[in-house]
Amino acid sequence: MKLPSLFKWFKNFDQTEQRLHETSVHKGNASSLVTMHDITECEQYEQALRESEEKYKALVENSQDCIMIIRDNKLLFANHTYCQMLGYDYQELLNMSSIEPIVPEDRYKALQIAERRKNLDFTTIRDNIRLFTKNGEIRECECVAAVIEYDGIPASFMTLHNVTESNRMQEALARSERRFRELTEMLPQAVYELDVNNAPTFMNKTGRKMFQLGDMDFSKSKAYDFFSPEDTERMREALSVEAKNIKIEKGALLPDYSRARSYTAHRMDGKTFPVLIYGTPIDEDCMVTGSRGMISDITERVGMENELRESEEKYRTLVDNANDGIVLTQDGQVKLVNKAMCDILQFQHEDFKDRSFYDYVVPEDRGEMEEYHKRRMKGEQFNVLYRSHLIRKDGEIITVELNSRTLSYNNRPAAFIIIRDITERLAIENELKVAKSELEILNKNLESRVQESSQKLAETQLQLINLQKENIQSQFDVLRQQVNPHFLFNSLNVLTSLIKIEPDLAEQFSEHLSKVYRYVLENKDNELVDLNTELRFLDAYIFLLNIRFVDKIKVNINIPGEKLSAQLIPLAMQLLIENAIKHNIMTKCNPLVIDIFIDEKNYLNIINNLQERPSQVISTGIGLKNIENRYLLLNNTRPIFEKSETQFMAKVPLVLK
Amino acid sequence: MRIVIIEDEFFAARRLENMVKVYDSSVEVLTKLESARDSINWFKSNEQPDLIFLDIHLDDDLSFSIFKEVSISSPIVFTTATDELATQFFVLKGIDFLHKPIVQEELNAMLDKYNHSKRMEKPINPHIFDDIINSKSNS
């Protein structure tokens, strides 16, 4: 019973072909009527059948799946969904082979189904099959082929479920997943997933490498096993907070978990390294199923940060400990100031807060500074070194040297000023200048003194040379004097005069003359002679003088006996007397008086009254110099020669035994 | 013949006087002077003699200084013992001089020369000896 009614139902199904429908119904009715006895019952049944048919018809037409009936590769029936899926109208589909829309590679499947049905194999067959739409697109369908009796003959009843879209979506999903997977694997950060019990469920390659996990199965571990024990509690808390916070409604924004937490990670080999973890809960349909995140090894960054911090520390120390004051000003405001600067101006650090730097500059100097500031504001970059005057807290004005340069501070131009208090330096410089000029004067004095000394030295040397020369000369002179024709002639003259007039006197004269000459001969080579010997010679000499210059000369000798052993150079007294005679007028009225004695300083004094002759025949230049030189050579003592208005005084050094 | 002897050494002057007498006892020695000052004074108040024996070195100065004070027109014979410079000068200028100690023959010749000669036409130039004088005032 069931089967024929189904046939009827299927026959009435087609709404597009009304004529066919009427025909089939009529035929169906006819066949039914043949077997029915109770008409009323039969009519009621028919009514029920019609209603049921209507119901199924609607179901078939409204089915999301394609439904068709095929026999011998000929489409007997197809619903609207099938027409829509392939883009053909119903008539077109009826006119073509049922194989035709199927892609060639899948046609054998359709043929196989047909073959099996011929061989009375009526099992339901499930398979995937692809069809071309009218405009050539491929539709993938899940196909279920059953067998029904259609018009009394078995036919294939097929439903096609279009899976093209879902396949595409699945593929896209797979691709997307692959993409993310690959990306995840490629990431330089470790990427992890934890389940709700904080057990790791996934770790990317970088992570495995970072923690040296290799192919280890870590699913039995807990997340904190891979971190320093000190971090466990903190991490547990963080993970639970992450989990708690996720009681959220669908579509609501997740709280911001991008804030990183830093932990110390443990590698399998025991080494530790600093990491940053960015974690977020895994939300599946408003349920937290775990958490996932990213771990960055920040060893390098920490190193760099440390370096940076150290470098910053270094610079800060430098700035703080700099001997020069350092000020950073922006818009005229003091932004930074170091200790030295505080010391220079005697202010405290906080005194500079929100103050203009100009407040510390004497008004006369502000102009220059403002000029630099303006240029700086115009974007000019420059360094400048100039002098200025600042006012200290105690009101004292100090001179400073400013080295100002432009730099960027908080992305805006600022003036970085190095300040050096040069007040002291200037004072020192001044002192130095004074000292220098003093030194120069001293130097000049010294130079002139050196010059003087060297001149003196040169003079002394010259003197010495002259002395040596003069010594030779004087020795020669003394020698010459022994046979000096001057003295001899004069003496001979006197003797000649005496011989006839005063023969006795002449005899005495010649005796004394011979004494004088003997003495000269005997002592010509001696440097020193006893005063006693010299005085005996002098007696003889004076005897000769008294005869030559009768009453015109008077020699007074007063030497105490105890001094007679003293020594002096030979012929000194004779020379001095001769000198006195040569230079002085000597008349009977005004005789030449010569006094010879020893003074308290043991100098032998030979003093004569001064009555100088106005002129004389040019002298040979022997005389006082001779005596002087002989003493200088002897023992570097000096005879003293003094001339006053009334007398000429010669003091000859005595050498005491 | 009247002569004047100017000589600072006493015995030398006496000897010259004796020697002149030996030459000719009639020669009159008007005076014997020892200093320039005395000589000047003498010439200022006496006539010029026929001949003067003049020693260069006198008690108080060189004899040349006399010429600057008084004009001398008598012929002069200089006497000198050792003044070489002066002797050279005398030879150069043709001035008569005698070396001391004076030798009788030389004196005789000199006296012969001037015994009958007339006085000099011009007085002696007081400056001709300047070159050989080392004047105190200049030095």
Side-chain angles (χ1 to χ4, degrees):
Chain A
M1 279 299 284
K2 240 182 181 176
L3 197 61
S5 46
L6 265 171
F7 269 115
K8 277 175 198 159
W9 179 73
F10 274 116
K11 270 203 76 161
N12 286 321
F13 183 76
D14 196 344
Q15 287 172 329
T16 51
E17 284 298 321
Q18 198 59 40
R19 200 170 40 88
L20 179 73
H21 164 75
E22 278 164 6
T23 315
S24 342
V25 169
H26 171 74
K27 275 181 181 173
N29 281 346
S31 61
S32 301
L33 283 170
V34 174
T35 54
M36 292 294 166
H37 299 287
D38 184 351
I39 295 294
T40 314
E41 219 177 270
C42 194
E43 274 182 358
Q44 278 172 350
Y45 181 75
E46 260 181 36
Q47 181 65 29
L49 197 68
R50 209 169 9 254
E51 276 171 21
S52 161
E53 208 182 295
E54 285 295 319
K55 240 188 280 178
Y56 284 107
K57 199 174 155 187
L59 249 172
V60 168
E61 278 305 319
N62 291 322
S63 168
Q64 291 295 309
D65 292 339
C66 308
I67 297 170
M68 45 202 170
I69 296 167
I70 298 164
R71 188 190 295 131
D72 298 330
N73 298 326
K74 179 104 180 79
L75 187 72
L76 301 177
F77 168 79
N79 70 349
H80 183 61
T81 309
Y82 184 64
C83 298
Q84 261 191 335
M85 185 178 83
L86 297 182
Y88 293 100
D89 60 37
Y90 187 58
Q91 197 53 55
E92 277 176 317
L93 286 169
L94 291 176
N95 290 339
M96 53 202 268
S97 157
S98 66
I99 302 294
E100 206 179 316
I102 299 171
V103 299
E105 297 91 325
D106 288 353
R107 279 179 191 165
Y108 76 98
K109 290 181 181 174
L111 293 172
Q112 244 176 1
I113 294 170
E115 198 60 33
R116 282 167 72 170
R117 300 295 179 240
K118 256 184 204 169
N119 296 330
L120 302 175
D121 177 2
F122 296 143
T123 50
T124 301
I125 297 163
R126 291 171 186 275
D127 207 342
N128 284 352
I129 198 158
R130 288 168 294 173
L131 297 100
F132 279 117
T133 63
K134 193 179 179 181
N135 52 21
E137 286 173 17
I138 289 175
R139 295 283 180 264
E140 275 189 57
C141 297
E142 275 173 13
C143 168
V144 179
V147 178
I148 56 166
E149 192 182 324
Y150 189 73
D151 290 341
I153 305 164
S156 283
F157 175 82
M158 299 185 73
T159 58
L160 293 178
H161 179 66
N162 185 353
V163 294
T164 314
E165 206 54 40
S166 73
N167 274 1
R168 200 181 292 151
M169 270 172 68
Q170 256 173 15
E171 256 171 43
L173 204 66
R175 264 203 307 278
S176 158
E177 202 192 324
R178 199 167 55 243
R179 188 160 59 229
F180 282 112
R181 213 31 96 154
E182 278 169 6
L183 278 173
T184 302
E185 295 297 346
M186 275 162 63
L187 271 177
Q189 284 89 7
V191 176
Y192 68 89
E193 279 181 5
L194 304 175
D195 62 14
V196 278
N197 299 314
N198 299 330
T201 54
F202 170 76
M203 183 64 101
N204 71 346
K205 267 185 205 158
T206 313
R208 284 176 175 276
K209 217 165 146 190
M210 189 185 284
F211 287 89
Q212 294 184 322
L213 298 175
D215 295 327
M216 193 187 93
D217 175 22
F218 46 74
S219 57
K220 299 254 159 50
S221 330
K222 293 280 188 189
Y224 11 89
D225 294 345
F226 303 99
F227 295 89
S228 161
E230 292 94 69
D231 287 345
T232 306
E233 208 44 52
R234 204 156 52 88
M235 187 175 281
R236 201 199 298 271
E237 205 177 315
L239 288 170
S240 73
V241 167
E242 272 169 28
K244 238 186 271 171
N245 278 344
I246 291 314
K247 303 243 166 174
I248 44 162
E249 286 165 36
K250 196 172 173 98
L253 282 171
L254 289 175
D256 181 20
Y257 291 102
S258 57
R259 203 172 69 81
R261 295 187 170 83
S262 65
Y263 297 100
T264 305
H266 269 247
R267 243 163 44 176
M268 280 294 130
D269 65 0
K271 258 198 177 161
T272 61
F273 56 98
V275 292
L276 273 184
I277 302 183
Y278 302 83
T280 183
I282 302 171
D283 167 31
E284 279 177 10
D285 293 332
C286 294
M287 280 291 297
V288 173
T289 59
S291 65
R292 69 164 70 93
M294 233 162 53
I295 305 172
S296 312
D297 181 351
I298 53 166
T299 313
E300 252 175 57
R301 199 203 300 180
V302 167
M304 266 160 65
E305 272 172 8
N306 279 346
E307 259 171 48
L308 199 70
R309 193 167 31 243
E310 269 168 35
S311 146
E312 203 188 308
E313 196 73 28
K314 230 182 318 189
Y315 281 110
R316 190 191 304 279
T317 312
L318 250 173
V319 166
D320 281 345
N321 294 330
N323 287 326
D324 292 338
I326 294 172
V327 177
L328 191 113
T329 67
Q330 195 168 51
D331 309 327
Q333 301 268 302
V334 176
K335 294 288 178 192
L336 285 177
V337 70
N338 74 340
K339 190 176 174 301
M341 192 63 231
C342 295
D343 292 347
I344 288 171
L345 291 177
Q346 301 179 329
F347 281 104
Q348 296 298 312
H349 239 278
E350 47 274 21
D351 293 337
F352 288 95
K353 208 173 174 238
D354 297 331
R355 287 282 296 275
S356 164
F357 186 64
Y358 296 129
D359 294 352
Y360 307 96
V361 182
V362 297
E364 306 89 272
D365 288 352
R366 285 176 197 168
E368 187 183 10
M369 220 170 269
E370 267 165 22
E371 198 58 44
Y372 293 134
H373 176 68
K374 273 183 206 156
R375 280 171 57 192
R376 198 158 278 141
M377 285 301 110
K378 280 182 203 157
E380 239 180 282
Q381 296 253 338
F382 59 94
N383 293 350
V384 63
L385 183 71
Y386 61 102
R387 264 183 201 185
S388 191
H389 298 84
L390 303 184
I391 312 158
R392 247 169 28 184
K393 193 178 187 180
D394 63 1
E396 194 85 18
I397 287 170
I398 54 168
T399 311
V400 294
E401 215 168 61
L402 288 96
N403 186 348
S404 142
R405 62 186 62 212
T406 310
L407 53 73
S408 172
Y409 181 74
N410 292 339
N411 295 321
R412 288 195 311 107
F416 181 78
I417 311 168
I418 299 174
I419 293 163
R420 184 169 292 181
D421 186 353
I422 56 167
T423 315
E424 217 165 291
R425 193 181 84 192
L426 286 181
I428 290 169
E429 268 175 12
N430 241 13
E431 267 174 45
L432 270 176
K433 237 179 255 175
V434 171
K436 195 187 161 206
S437 65
E438 273 172 15
L439 207 68
E440 269 169 8
I441 292 166
L442 275 177
N443 214 19
K444 217 176 269 177
N445 284 351
L446 203 69
E447 254 172 44
S448 63
R449 223 178 276 180
V450 166
Q451 212 169 351
E452 236 171 73
S453 306
S454 58
Q455 206 173 330
K456 260 187 205 166
L457 198 71
E459 274 169 20
T460 312
Q461 272 176 339
L462 197 70
Q463 223 170 2
L464 201 69
I465 293 166
N466 283 343
L467 278 177
Q468 285 167 339
K469 209 165 78 182
E470 276 163 16
N471 183 39
I472 294 164
Q473 181 69 42
S474 68
Q475 281 171 355
F476 171 72
D477 289 343
V478 171
L479 200 67
R480 200 176 64 168
Q481 247 174 1
Q482 299 157 22
V483 286
N484 189 353
H486 207 275
F487 180 70
L488 188 61
F489 267 117
N490 286 329
S491 299
L492 282 176
N493 243 337
V494 175
L495 195 59
T496 314
S497 306
L498 286 175
I499 288 169
K500 276 190 181 165
I501 309 156
E502 298 277 352
D504 291 344
L505 203 57
E507 201 178 330
Q508 281 179 46
F509 188 89
S510 57
E511 280 167 16
H512 284 91
L513 183 61
S514 68
K515 267 187 198 173
V516 166
Y517 269 88
R518 186 177 299 119
Y519 177 83
V520 170
L521 277 172
E522 280 172 0
N523 291 291
K524 64 174 180 180
D525 295 328
N526 293 344
E527 278 191 321
L528 286 169
V529 287
D530 290 349
L531 187 52
N532 195 27
T533 318
E534 182 79 358
L535 283 173
R536 266 188 274 128
F537 150 75
L538 205 63
D539 280 341
Y541 178 67
I542 291 165
F543 179 87
L544 298 181
L545 290 182
N546 278 328
I547 291 173
R548 187 178 165 198
F549 305 110
V550 189
D551 300 331
K552 292 176 190 172
I553 183 164
K554 188 163 171 48
V555 181
N556 304 313
I557 299 172
N558 184 15
I559 307 282
E562 69 266 18
K563 300 279 172 129
L564 288 173
S565 63
Q567 289 187 308
L568 76 164
I569 56 168
L571 300 167
M573 288 186 287
Q574 183 265 333
L575 204 76
L576 286 163
I577 292 168
E578 199 171 76
N579 215 41
I581 291 167
K582 201 155 97 189
H583 293 287
N584 287 284
I585 294 164
M586 39 196 295
T587 61
K588 285 191 181 89
C589 304
N590 299 300
L592 177 67
V593 182
I594 298 169
D595 291 305
I596 298 174
F597 59 92
I598 295 172
D599 66 17
E600 63 276 9
K601 287 176 180 168
N602 282 317
Y603 275 93
L604 182 67
N605 285 235
I606 298 102
I607 297 171
N608 65 270
N609 57 334
L610 196 69
Q611 37 195 25
E612 280 184 290
R613 296 171 67 91
S615 60
Q616 64 180 81
V617 173
I618 295 164
S619 81
T620 46
I622 321 155
L624 302 182
K625 200 78 188 153
N626 177 304
I627 296 170
E628 207 168 53
N629 291 344
R630 277 155 75 194
Y631 265 105
L632 275 175
L633 277 170
L634 177 72
N635 56 9
N636 203 26
T637 54
R638 228 174 238 282
I640 299 161
F641 303 114
E642 282 172 9
K643 196 163 95 173
S644 72
E645 288 278 311
T646 55
Q647 61 181 23
F648 179 83
M649 188 189 295
K651 295 182 172 195
V652 179
L654 286 177
V655 180
L656 299 174
K657 272 182 178 170
Chain B
M1 189 181 187
R2 298 169 304 148
I3 62 167
V4 169
I5 294 170
I6 304 176
E7 163 67 63
D8 63 340
E9 283 180 33
F10 170 75
F11 290 107
R14 274 188 61 186
R15 181 171 177 259
L16 180 54
E17 186 181 16
N18 287 346
M19 289 172 86
V20 169
K21 294 287 184 187
V22 170
Y23 168 75
D24 185 351
S25 55
S26 68
V27 174
E28 195 183 343
V29 175
L30 296 176
T31 183
K32 296 201 288 291
L33 301 163
E34 292 191 353
S35 70
R37 180 51 40 204
D38 291 348
S39 305
I40 289 159
N41 290 338
W42 191 88
F43 280 109
K44 277 180 178 170
S45 51
N46 292 283
E47 267 186 49
Q48 301 258 333
D50 296 319
L51 185 65
I52 302 168
F53 286 99
L54 185 55
D55 188 8
I56 292 170
H57 194 275
L58 299 178
D59 278 350
D60 55 353
D61 203 350
L62 294 177
S63 56
F64 307 130
S65 63
I66 299 168
F67 309 133
K68 293 180 181 172
E69 297 285 326
V70 287
S71 178
I72 304 290
S73 52
S74 307
I76 299 166
V77 173
F78 286 96
T79 60
T80 180
T82 55
D83 288 319
E84 286 168 43
L85 212 62
T87 25
Q88 281 172 17
F89 180 78
F90 297 149
V91 172
L92 200 70
K93 296 281 177 179
I95 296 164
D96 289 323
F97 71 96
L98 290 170
H99 273 304
K100 291 203 280 189
I102 294 163
V103 179
Q104 189 68 55
E105 285 73 28
E106 289 176 2
L107 178 66
N108 291 350
M110 205 55 77
L111 287 167
D112 282 343
K113 182 179 172 183
Y114 290 104
N115 204 359
H116 306 292
S117 69
K118 290 181 180 171
R119 302 236 168 136
M120 291 168 77
E121 283 168 15
K122 278 185 190 169
I124 189 160
N125 180 352
H127 293 295
I128 60 163
F129 304 104
D130 284 356
D131 288 347
I132 54 160
I133 293 168
N134 182 16
S135 173
K136 281 281 177 219
S137 59
N138 295 339
S139 63

